[in-house]
């Protein structure tokens, strides 16, 4: 199938750096569809429920790559708030920095940010893996339910605050731990997981990692009445 070229004009939209027309080239091959965007704005590559490859040759605004199930997306720039929110499966790789709420409510797949991320990254994460090559802001992993985060750099205050489950690995310094976040010992399975994930995305390990999990002090299921316990669990 011949490639299909789509053009759109971003002039007059919200951001001053999006004043030039953008183009997207979509082609089909054995690996599925491939789309290349030369410029992008808010809410780009959202709600895609198919296996395909998308390359964004620039930076994204807020809410990029959210609600996806299957695509492999590379952003050759930075992104704003809430990239890959509610992502179900696939891979999203950000070559530079990402804003706050990176990977909010992530459910599956790999979200990789080669630079730094803002505050509350992985808030309410329910699965999948978030990998950060640089530093992470305050309240990283807030209300983490399941899934794993690998932070190669330093992390701001409130790490893992009110997390229910899941695992956070940190390679740098930690300002402070959040409520009910405790340190745990690394296992051989942890070492294998970290080495494999970083190798896949060509990220150099920063040195020894530390592992953080839920201390389960806030787990109050045993105090529920039997009927409530059955409903919750």
């Amino acid at each position: 199938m011949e490639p299909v070229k789509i053009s759109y004009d971003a002039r007059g939209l919200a951001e001053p750096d999006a004043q030039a027309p953008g183009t997207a080239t979509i082609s089909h091959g054995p690996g599925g569809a491939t789309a290349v965007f030369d410029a992008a704005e808010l809410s780009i590559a959202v709600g895609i429920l198919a296996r395909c490859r998308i390359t964004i040759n620039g930076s994204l605004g807020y809410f990029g790559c959210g609600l996806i199930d299957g695509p492999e997306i590379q952003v050759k720039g930075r992104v704003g708030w809430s990239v890959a929110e509610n992502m179900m499966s696939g891979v999203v790789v950000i070559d530079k920095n990402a804003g706050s709420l990176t990977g909010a409510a992530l459910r599956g797949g790999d979200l990789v940010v080669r630079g730094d991320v803002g505050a509350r990254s992985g808030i309410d994460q329910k699965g999948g893996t978030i990998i950060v090559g640089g530093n992470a802001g305050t309240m990283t992993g807030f209300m983490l339910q399941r899934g794993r985060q690998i932070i190669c750099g330093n992390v701001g205050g409130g790490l893992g605050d009110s997390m229910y489950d899941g695992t956070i690995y940190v390679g740098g310094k930690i300002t402070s731990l959040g409520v009910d976040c405790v340190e745990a010992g690394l296992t051989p399975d942890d070492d294998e997981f970290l080495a494999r994930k970083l190798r896949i995305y060509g990220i150099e390990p920063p040195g020894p990692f530390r592992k953080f999990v839920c201390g389960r002090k806030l787990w109050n299921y045993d105090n529920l009445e039997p009927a409530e316990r059955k409903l919750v669990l």
Side-chain angles (χ1 to χ4, degrees):
M1 181 180 293
E2 290 295 321
V4 179
K5 189 170 185 178
I6 303 171
S7 296
Y8 66 94
D9 192 340
R11 288 175 294 189
L13 297 181
E15 297 298 324
D17 60 352
Q19 297 300 308
T23 61
T25 301
I26 303 175
S27 59
H28 296 264
T34 299
V36 179
F37 290 84
D38 293 320
E41 248 295 328
L42 309 182
S43 301
I44 296 295
V46 169
I48 299 173
L49 309 179
R51 293 291 303 274
C52 60
R53 295 187 181 94
I54 299 174
T55 302
I56 298 172
N57 293 322
S59 297
L60 291 184
Y62 302 160
F63 308 116
C65 312
L67 297 167
I68 61 173
D69 191 359
E72 298 178 14
I73 302 175
Q74 181 182 10
V75 180
K76 295 184 176 180
R78 63 189 185 279
V79 296
W81 286 14
S82 296
V83 66
E85 179 182 12
N86 276 295
M87 171 178 166
M88 298 294 290
S89 69
V91 176
V92 176
V93 178
I94 313 300
D95 285 351
K96 296 183 179 179
N97 299 332
S100 299
L101 303 169
T102 295
L106 186 82
R107 293 175 177 269
D110 286 351
L111 171 56
V112 183
V113 180
R114 299 193 184 279
D116 301 332
V117 296
R120 301 181 301 282
S121 291
I123 181 173
D124 198 28
Q125 182 180 346
K126 299 174 175 68
T129 303
I130 297 174
I131 304 173
V132 179
N135 301 323
T138 186
M139 301 295 283
T140 293
F142 178 53
M143 295 183 67
L144 172 66
Q145 296 187 28
R146 289 187 178 177
R148 290 177 279 199
Q149 298 186 21
I150 303 173
I151 313 297
C152 294
N154 303 326
V155 182
L159 175 69
D161 190 275
S162 302
M163 63 188 293
Y164 300 114
D165 208 338
T167 305
I168 305 173
Y169 304 96
V170 179
K173 297 179 180 179
I174 300 162
T175 302
S176 66
L177 298 180
V179 175
D180 211 22
C181 178
V182 299
E183 187 166 3
L186 288 164
T187 67
D189 287 342
D190 293 318
D191 293 333
E192 186 278 331
F193 170 76
L194 289 165
R196 173 167 49 85
K197 284 294 187 181
L198 295 179
R199 182 174 63 251
I200 288 172
Y201 298 105
I203 298 175
E204 191 69 24
F209 278 93
R210 298 167 65 187
K211 175 182 176 181
F212 298 90
V213 298
C214 175
R216 303 189 177 184
K217 298 286 187 181
L218 300 181
W219 283 27
N220 298 313
Y221 298 128
D222 290 340
N223 298 328
L224 298 175
E225 295 294 328
E228 293 173 325
R229 181 180 174 83
K230 183 177 181 181
L231 179 65
V232 172
L233 300 179

